Amino acid sequence: SEAADMLGLMHYMDIMRLITVMETTPATSDENVTVTDTKFSHVTVRLYLPRREPGGLRRGMVYFHGGGWCLGDAGMKSYDHMSRRVSNELNVVVVSVNYRLAPQHRFPTPFEDVYAVTKFFLQSKVLAQYKVDPARVCVAGDSAGGNLAAAVAQQLLEDPEVKTKLKAQILIYPVLQALDLDLPSYRDNENKPVLPKSLMVRFWSEYFTSDPSLREAMASNRHVPAESGHLFQFVNWSHLLPEEMRKAHVYRGPTFGSAALARRYPGFLDLRASPLLASHAQLRRLPHTYILTCEHDVLRDDGAMYAQRLRAAGVRVTHDHAQDAFHGALMFISWPLDLAVGHRLFHRYVEWINENL
C-alpha cells in the first residue's frame, strides 16, 4: 500500500480495501436468521431478523463495523458471523450499517450515516414493524465503529426528535480521541501487529484530509493548538489510567501545534470524532456501557479512560480488559486461525448482551 501510494499508482486506502473485498460475503439467509441488504434513511444496511417466534418483543442492536473509517463492510465474514450469531442466539434484530468511507467520504459523513440509520431505526413505527422492544435497544461497534457508537449515543441525548432512549452502548476496543497520540498504550504497542501506531495515525488523518501535514503533526503529537489546551483535561492519562496501565511511563503534558492546521481541519477537536472530550454533564446521561479493551493495542488507553470518566459521572460501566489480547481479536472467531482468545471474548460479549439488554 505504501509503495503504490508513493508511486502514485493508487491511494493507500484503496489498496488496503482489497482486504475488505476479499472478505465480503453476500447476504445469505439460513434456517435461523433472515439476512437482507436494504436501506435505512438512504444508507445501506445489512439486516438480520431471527426466524423463530419471539414470544414477545425482541431486542434491537445497531452495529457499526471497524476499519479506521476507511475500510470494512458489514458483509465481511467476521461481522456477518458475529451479527448472525447474536441475532439467532439472543433473538436480536441486528442492523449492521455500511456507512460511507473515507477518504472518498470524510468526516463527518461516516458519523452522519450511522446517526441517520440509528435515528430511523428508533422510530416507534420502525421498531414496531420489526417487533423490537423500544426499551431494549443498543448501539455497538468495534474500533472506529466503537468511536461511532459512542458519538451516536452522545448525540442522541441532544436530539429532541428522538423519543426512544438507548438501553446500552457496547464499545469494543474503541478509538475515542485524537488529541493525545502518545499515551502509554501507543508507546507500548507502537509496532505491534494489526494496528501499529503509524496505521492508526494514518486512519485518523485520512478521516479528515489527505494533506500530509496533518498526518506528520499527528505522528509527532504536535497537532493540537494552544487555544485548545483546556481539552487535555479530558484525556490526561496520568490520573485517568489505573497504575498497572501507566506503568513506568511519565506524563509529559501537551506539546502544542499549529493553530492554522487546526483551523483547516477542525474535525479532530469535534465531539463527533473524539467522544472522550465530552463534559462530565454530558457523560452522566449516557446509558449502561460495556467496554472491551486489549492489552496489546494502541487503543487500550482510550477505552480505559472512557470507562473511568463514565464511572466518575455515575454511569454503570462494565470494563473487560483482556491481558492476552490484541486489537481486532474478536474478529478472529471466523478466521482459519480460530484463536481461542477471540472465542472467549465473543462469549463474554454475548453473555453481557444477554444479561443487560
Side-chain angles (χ1 to χ4, degrees):
S1 296
E2 287 280 5
D5 195 51
M6 290 175 66
L7 291 170
L9 301 175
M10 192 178 290
H11 191 281
Y12 179 90
M13 290 302 171
D14 289 336
I15 300 288
M16 292 286 284
R17 209 169 287 164
L18 292 175
I19 301 169
T20 299
V21 173
M22 291 188 296
E23 281 290 303
T24 302
T25 59
T28 306
S29 301
D30 58 32
E31 67 274 16
N32 299 311
V33 181
T34 299
V35 182
T36 54
D37 286 334
T38 184
K39 288 184 182 289
F40 280 8
S41 192
H42 308 293
V43 179
T44 301
V45 303
R46 182 160 289 192
L47 184 63
Y48 297 81
L49 299 175
R51 286 183 182 267
R52 62 178 169 173
E53 287 302 315
L57 294 176
R58 299 184 172 101
R59 294 176 272 203
M61 170 186 285
V62 187
Y63 193 92
F64 314 131
H65 67 76
W69 309 282
C70 298
L71 314 173
D73 190 285
M76 288 177 68
K77 291 176 185 176
S78 50
Y79 291 116
D80 182 71
H81 182 77
M82 285 176 56
S83 297
R84 200 177 289 270
R85 284 190 58 182
V86 167
S87 181
N88 177 44
E89 295 174 22
L90 302 180
N91 202 26
V92 177
V93 174
V94 179
V95 181
S96 191
V97 186
N98 262 327
Y99 52 91
R100 287 172 289 175
L101 300 172
Q104 288 82 4
H105 304 281
R106 301 193 190 279
F107 175 84
T109 298
F111 169 81
E112 290 172 343
D113 281 358
V114 298
Y115 191 76
V117 168
T118 308
K119 190 170 177 177
F120 178 88
F121 186 62
L122 290 177
Q123 295 177 95
S124 297
K125 63 181 180 182
V126 178
L127 295 174
Q129 177 184 347
Y130 295 110
K131 298 183 174 64
V132 173
D133 185 344
R136 303 178 78 187
V137 181
C138 73
V139 289
D142 65 290
S143 194
N147 167 282
L148 294 168
V152 165
Q154 290 182 5
Q155 188 73 20
L156 286 172
L157 298 174
E158 311 300 326
D159 194 332
E161 296 180 353
V162 179
K163 306 304 179 186
T164 303
K165 304 297 182 185
L166 294 177
K167 185 170 185 183
Q169 60 174 341
I170 299 171
L171 314 178
I172 302 169
Y173 28 80
V175 50
L176 297 169
Q177 59 86 33
L179 263 73
D180 190 350
L181 305 183
D182 189 38
L183 304 171
S185 58
Y186 274 89
R187 299 175 192 175
D188 292 342
N189 303 294
E190 181 175 2
N191 298 306
K192 294 283 179 71
V194 182
L195 189 65
K197 178 179 176 178
S198 59
L199 180 55
M200 190 62 240
V201 167
R202 185 77 187 245
F203 280 143
W204 264 126
S205 62
E206 291 289 353
Y207 195 23
F208 307 116
T209 177
S210 284
D211 182 347
S213 61
L214 179 61
R215 184 163 75 250
E216 291 163 6
M218 284 184 153
S220 61
N221 212 37
R222 297 169 183 264
H223 56 291
V224 179
E227 53 262 41
S228 300
H230 63 285
L231 295 173
F232 278 94
Q233 65 182 303
F234 301 126
V235 297
N236 186 334
W237 58 263
S238 66
H239 63 83
L240 288 173
L241 288 180
E243 185 177 352
E244 61 270 21
M245 289 187 183
R246 295 197 304 268
K247 301 177 182 175
H249 295 290
V250 176
Y251 184 72
R252 293 193 284 263
T255 302
F256 297 116
S258 164
L261 189 65
R263 282 195 296 271
R264 285 202 303 275
Y265 312 115
F268 64 85
L269 300 172
D270 194 306
L271 266 182
R272 295 169 298 171
S274 293
L276 196 47
L277 303 185
S279 69
H280 183 85
Q282 290 168 304
L283 296 182
R284 64 191 297 270
R285 296 184 291 148
L286 286 168
H288 192 183
T289 302
Y290 176 82
I291 297 176
L292 171 66
T293 55
C294 300
E295 180 66 21
H296 308 290
D297 182 5
V298 293
L299 303 180
R300 176 192 71 204
D301 296 349
D302 280 22
M305 289 193 294
Y306 203 43
Q308 174 59 27
R309 290 202 60 214
L310 288 171
R311 286 197 190 99
V315 177
R316 290 174 61 206
V317 178
T318 299
H319 176 200
D320 271 352
H321 181 62
Q323 289 282 356
D324 59 345
F326 50 89
H327 188 82
L330 198 64
M331 300 300 105
F332 283 85
I333 57 170
S334 66
W335 282 39
L337 292 173
D338 199 29
L339 292 177
V341 64
H343 286 274
R344 190 184 77 242
L345 297 181
F346 182 74
H347 176 76
R348 180 68 189 107
Y349 162 71
V350 169
E351 186 179 65
W352 190 92
I353 295 170
N354 195 39
E355 293 173 356
N356 295 282
L357 183 62

